[in-house]
Amino acid sequence: MAAARTFRVLPGFNLTLGYTLGYMSLLILIPLAAVFLKTTELTWGEFIDVVTAPQVVATYKLSFGASLLAAAINAVFGLMLAWALVRYSFPGKKIVDALVDLPFALPTAVAGIALTALYAKNGWLGQYLEPIGIKVAFTPLGVLVALVFIGLPFVVRTVQPILEDLDTELEEAATCLGAQRWQTFRHVILPILLPALMTGFALAFARAVGEYGSVIFIAGNLPYVSEITPLMIITKLEQYDYRGATAIASVMLLFSFTLLLIINGLQAWTAKRTGRDR
Amino acid sequence: MSIHVRNIRKQFGSFTALDNVSLDFPTGELVALLGPSGCGKTTLLRIIAGLEQADSGQVLLDDEDASGTHVRERQVGFVFQHYALFRHMTVFDNVAFGMRMKPRRQRPPEARIREKVHALLNLVQLDWLADRFPSQLSGGQRQRIALARALAVEPRVLLLDEPFGALDAKVRKELRRWLRNLHDELHITSIFVTHDQEEALEVADRVVLMDRGRVEQIGTPEAVYDHPATPFVATFLGSVNLFHGRVEDGQLHLGEHALALGSASGDVSGDGKAVAFVRPHEFDLVPGWRTGDGLPATIVRVVSVGPSAQIELSRLDGERIEVTIARDTFHPLGLGEGDQVSLRPRRIRVFQDDTRAA
C-alpha cells in the first residue's frame, strides 16, 4: 500500500482519516459498543429469552415491517412531490417546498399528538374514516401514518437535486425515438433517479426504525398489536432492566445495520451496472 | 420525404422567435439553417420535429399537415447539440432503444435488433465501442452514436440541432466531411442548424440564412456567398469590408473619393445613401496614391503566412480595411508597413442604406 504513493491536488489524507475515525468513535462506535458491552452481562440463554419473548418479536415485526412499508410509500410519493416541485411552477410552490422540511423541525411528540387528534374517533379525519371501517389511531395503521410523516423529507430532498440536473433533452430524445410516456419514465428517467431514490429510501427507513416520539401517541401501544421495538426498550428501562433494554437494542442495531448494508450494496450495484461508478 | 413550412409564427413572451416563415425542403437534400444565436433557427427545427408548437402556421410532411401528429409518430430523427445519450445505457442499448420501445407487434426480434445495431455502429465506424458507456467516449464519438441512434428507427427526416457545436475545431471539421459522405450514402432529407457559416457552406446542398425570426436568403452555398441578397447576408457570410457612402451617376462616393460601380451587384437602383461591401480578396493593390483611381490607404500591418498575405490598411479618415492577396502577387510589389497604396475593388456589392445600419 505504501508503495503506491499517488499525488493528490488536495493533501490531508492522514488528517481526514484520523479525524473521521476519531469522530466516528466518539459519536457512534463507543456509545454503540457500550450497548453491546452491557448486553454481555446477560448469559446467552438469558439473552435469547429476552430477545425472543413473543411480545418482543411482535414489536420487531411491526417496527421493521411498518418502517419498510413507510419508506416504500415515501419513495413513491416523495418522488412525485419532488417531480412536481422541480418540473412545474404553481402558486405557493415556495411554501410547499418549505413545508417538506417541517417533519424534520417539528418535535416528534407534537407530530404524534397532532396526528392522533386528527385520526382519533372524534378527530377531523377520524370521524369520517371510522364509520367506513378504517381505524387509524391506536392501530398498526396509525404507526404507519406516523412513520410516513416523519420520513417524507428524505426522499424528496435526495431526489430533488438529481431531478433538477436531469436534462429534458433526454425525454425529448426518447420521445423522438418513439417511446411512450411510461416507457420514457421507466427506461430513461427512473434508472437515472434510482440511486438517489434508494438513498432516500434507506434514510427514510433508518429514521422510521428509530422513531419513538410521534409513534407512541398514535399507536396506542397495545401489546402484540401496536407496540414498536423502541417502546419495548423504554419499558425495560423504566423497570430498571438495563440489560434487557440493551439486549433488545443490540438486536435492533444488528437488524438495521444489515438492512442498510444491503440497501447501500444494491445502490452501488445499480450505479456500477449503469456506468456511473468507475 | 419533403418538408414544407407555411407561415410559421412563434412568440416567446414578447420575443418573436419566428415571424411568418415559409420554407420548402425538397426530398433528399441536406439543408443548413444558418444564422446568429437567437435568430429562430433552433425553434424552427424543433417545430418541424414537433417538440415545440407554432403559434400559427403549418408544417407539411410529405404534403400532409403534421400539426396533429405527435413527435413519436412523425418519424423524425433528432440529434441534439449535447448528444442527449442515455448515460445509464451502453452504446449498444442506446442505439437499440428506438427499436425496443416499439409496440410488441411491430418490435423486431432481438436477433434482428442486434444485427441492425451492429450495422448502424459499423456505418458510424464505432462498432468496437458497443459495450462502452457514453461517459467513456469522446465528444465526436458520442455525436456519431447519437446519429446512429436516431437512424435506428428509420426516420423519414433527419434533424440536427448544432450537431458539432460542442466539439473542438479539428473534430468538427472531420465530422462535417463525414456527415456529408453519410448523407450522400443515405440520401435522407436532412436539416441541420448551425451558427458556423463555414460549416454550412461546406456541408449543405442549400443554405437558409435567418436573422431575427425571418428568412433572409435561400440558395446554394456559392449563390449566397457570391450574391448576398441583403446587407445582413453580406456581413454574416465570410469577412467583409464595409463602406458607407453615396451612389451618384453610377459611382460610389466615399468622402472625396469615388469608385466606379461597373461590376457592382446588389441593389443599386437610383442614387442616394448606400452601404457597400467588398471582400478582402476582391481588392487589387497599386503602389502610391493616385487621384481618381481607387481608394488611398496606408499599410498598417502585413501578415504573410501561408498561401496568401493578410494586409491591414488604414484609410485617410482612419477606418481600417482588410485585404487578402496571394503572396506571389504581393511580394513583387515590394510593399511594406507604412507604404502608401491605392485600393481598387474588383467587385462591390451595394445596398441602399436604410439608416438602421448607421
Side-chain angles (χ1 to χ4, degrees):
Chain A
M1 275 217 337
R5 265 189 80 113
T6 51
F7 175 78
R8 282 170 212 272
V9 178
L10 293 177
F13 173 72
N14 292 330
L15 184 69
T16 45
L17 182 69
Y19 176 76
T20 306
L21 287 179
Y23 200 76
M24 291 282 283
S25 303
L26 272 177
L27 281 173
I28 299 178
L29 289 178
I30 294 175
L32 293 191
V35 169
F36 287 102
L37 214 62
K38 188 77 188 171
T39 310
T40 54
E41 287 175 14
L42 290 168
T43 64
W44 183 247
E46 285 171 327
F47 175 77
I48 295 295
D49 282 346
V50 171
V51 300
T52 58
Q55 195 183 353
V56 177
V57 172
T59 70
Y60 296 150
K61 285 181 187 159
L62 179 63
S63 261
F64 287 97
S67 296
L68 278 172
L69 197 57
I73 291 171
N74 273 324
V76 174
F77 290 95
L79 175 60
M80 276 164 58
L81 190 50
W83 183 272
L85 284 174
V86 171
R87 282 301 168 89
Y88 310 114
S89 64
F90 48 87
K93 177 173 161 171
K94 285 254 150 57
I95 295 171
V96 174
D97 203 13
L99 277 176
V100 168
D101 288 329
L102 222 51
F104 275 148
L106 208 61
T108 49
V110 177
I113 292 167
L115 287 173
T116 312
L118 266 183
Y119 288 104
K121 214 183 330 191
N122 51 0
W124 284 356
L125 291 172
Q127 57 181 322
Y128 302 113
L129 291 175
E130 203 99 328
I132 55 171
I134 303 171
K135 281 178 129 181
V136 180
F138 315 127
T139 65
L141 186 59
V143 175
L144 184 66
V145 169
L147 295 183
V148 170
F149 173 82
I150 50 114
L152 173 75
F154 293 97
V155 173
V156 179
R157 291 299 179 228
T158 48
V159 171
Q160 208 173 7
I162 308 293
L163 259 181
E164 273 162 5
D165 282 348
L166 193 66
D167 214 333
T168 47
E169 274 188 2
L170 289 178
E171 291 151 47
E172 290 177 350
T175 312
C176 286
L177 292 167
Q180 305 288 331
R181 271 168 219 164
W182 66 269
Q183 286 178 314
T184 305
F185 179 76
R186 161 75 186 76
H187 295 284
V188 175
I189 298 171
L190 197 59
I192 294 172
L193 294 182
L194 201 58
L197 203 58
M198 284 167 79
T199 306
F201 176 85
L203 288 172
F205 167 73
R207 176 80 172 84
V209 167
E211 178 59 15
Y212 177 74
S214 61
V215 177
I216 290 319
F217 291 95
I218 199 168
N221 308 327
L222 305 170
Y224 297 100
V225 178
S226 58
E227 272 183 332
I228 54 167
T229 314
L231 177 78
M232 281 285 61
I233 298 171
I234 300 284
T235 314
K236 296 260 185 229
L237 284 178
E238 279 170 352
Q239 293 160 356
Y240 302 105
D241 180 6
Y242 296 128
R243 288 176 299 182
T246 53
I248 298 173
S250 43
V251 168
M252 206 176 167
L253 274 173
L254 277 177
F255 249 146
S256 302
F257 186 70
T258 315
L259 278 169
L260 289 174
L261 215 57
I262 291 171
I263 295 172
N264 283 347
L266 269 174
Q267 198 198 351
W269 178 71
T270 45
K272 191 163 254 148
R273 199 178 54 108
T274 56
R276 237 154 308 167
D277 178 55
R278 255 180 313 272
Chain B
M1 184 176 71
S2 67
I3 305 168
H4 302 282
V5 171
R6 294 270 171 273
N7 308 99
I8 294 277
R9 278 175 205 280
K10 177 76 181 176
Q11 296 269 141
F12 290 111
S14 63
F15 175 74
T16 307
L18 291 171
D19 188 3
N20 202 17
V21 170
S22 296
L23 284 169
D24 299 309
F25 302 93
T27 309
E29 267 197 6
L30 176 56
V31 179
L33 292 180
L34 176 64
S37 52
C39 73
K41 53 193 192 305
T42 294
T43 309
L44 181 61
L45 197 75
R46 291 174 60 86
I47 287 174
I48 293 172
L51 292 170
E52 206 100 51
Q53 293 298 319
D55 296 337
S56 66
Q58 277 184 311
V59 175
L60 304 174
L61 301 176
D62 260 346
D63 301 316
E64 238 172 78
D65 188 358
S67 308
T69 318
H70 191 270
V71 196
R72 78 176 79 84
E73 273 100 46
R74 285 196 189 190
Q75 289 183 273
V76 294
F78 203 98
V79 174
F80 296 84
Q81 179 176 3
H82 297 289
Y83 329 119
L85 290 176
F86 306 131
R87 60 178 187 220
H88 58 284
M89 295 182 198
T90 60
V91 162
F92 183 95
D93 292 333
N94 263 284
V95 178
F97 185 83
M99 288 183 271
R100 285 180 175 158
M101 292 303 114
K102 285 190 187 203
R104 198 171 293 272
R105 241 171 295 149
Q106 297 167 32
R107 196 182 308 160
E110 193 63 24
R112 174 87 192 88
I113 292 179
R114 187 169 303 274
E115 197 179 303
K116 191 155 173 202
V117 169
H118 284 299
L120 280 163
L121 287 176
N122 277 320
L123 182 72
V124 298
Q125 299 151 10
L126 290 176
D127 196 33
W128 52 289
L129 292 175
D131 298 327
R132 302 278 182 91
F133 285 97
S135 57
Q136 296 167 298
L137 309 186
S138 73
Q141 291 171 337
R142 285 184 209 182
Q143 199 55 293
R144 274 146 75 187
I145 297 301
L147 195 62
R149 184 180 67 175
L151 290 172
V153 290
E154 293 174 1
R156 300 187 292 167
V157 203
L158 197 57
L159 305 173
L160 307 105
D161 183 13
E162 302 250 6
F164 313 131
L167 305 173
D168 62 68
K170 190 161 172 281
V171 178
R172 201 185 309 181
K173 234 175 175 147
E174 278 171 25
L175 277 192
R176 252 187 238 165
R177 302 249 162 84
W178 175 82
L179 176 68
R180 181 68 237 184
N181 294 338
L182 191 74
H183 182 263
D184 291 341
E185 219 171 293
L186 301 174
H187 282 298
I188 176 170
T189 312
S190 310
I191 305 176
F192 80 101
V193 156
T194 180
H195 62 263
D196 180 347
Q197 36 135 335
E198 214 183 302
E199 191 171 294
L201 296 176
E202 187 180 319
V203 176
D205 293 317
R206 285 197 312 147
V207 179
V208 175
L209 276 127
M210 295 183 64
D211 186 35
R212 305 179 200 198
R214 290 167 178 278
V215 174
E216 293 271 325
Q217 192 176 359
I218 308 166
T220 62
E222 296 82 35
V224 293
Y225 187 85
D226 290 337
H227 306 287
T230 64
F232 166 79
V233 178
T235 42
F236 191 76
L237 286 181
S239 50
V240 76
N241 294 295
L242 169 71
F243 302 95
H244 290 278
R246 295 185 64 79
V247 173
E248 254 167 52
D249 310 326
Q251 285 193 308
L252 176 68
H253 292 267
L254 302 168
E256 58 208 58
H257 304 283
L259 296 170
L261 286 179
S263 60
S265 70
D267 166 28
V268 282
S269 57
D271 296 349
K273 279 178 78 178
V275 278
F277 299 95
V278 182
R279 297 206 188 276
H281 60 87
E282 292 172 339
F283 279 111
D284 283 329
L285 276 189
V286 184
W289 288 354
R290 300 163 191 221
T291 40
D293 182 14
L295 206 59
T298 309
I299 296 180
V300 178
R301 201 172 132 73
V302 177
V303 179
S304 184
V305 179
S308 55
Q310 263 87 43
I311 304 150
E312 195 185 330
L313 303 106
S314 168
R315 278 170 56 187
L316 298 187
D317 57 8
E319 279 208 41
R320 294 293 161 116
I321 300 179
E322 254 183 76
V323 172
T324 309
I325 293 188
R327 268 219 296 197
D328 297 344
T329 321
F330 180 66
H331 278 292
L333 296 175
L335 291 169
E337 286 164 21
D339 286 343
Q340 296 172 338
V341 295
S342 293
L343 291 169
R344 286 191 200 142
R346 288 192 301 272
R347 283 177 68 141
I348 310 180
R349 270 161 292 267
V350 185
F351 299 94
Q352 256 168 356
D353 197 350
D354 48 351
T355 59
R356 101 174 174 203

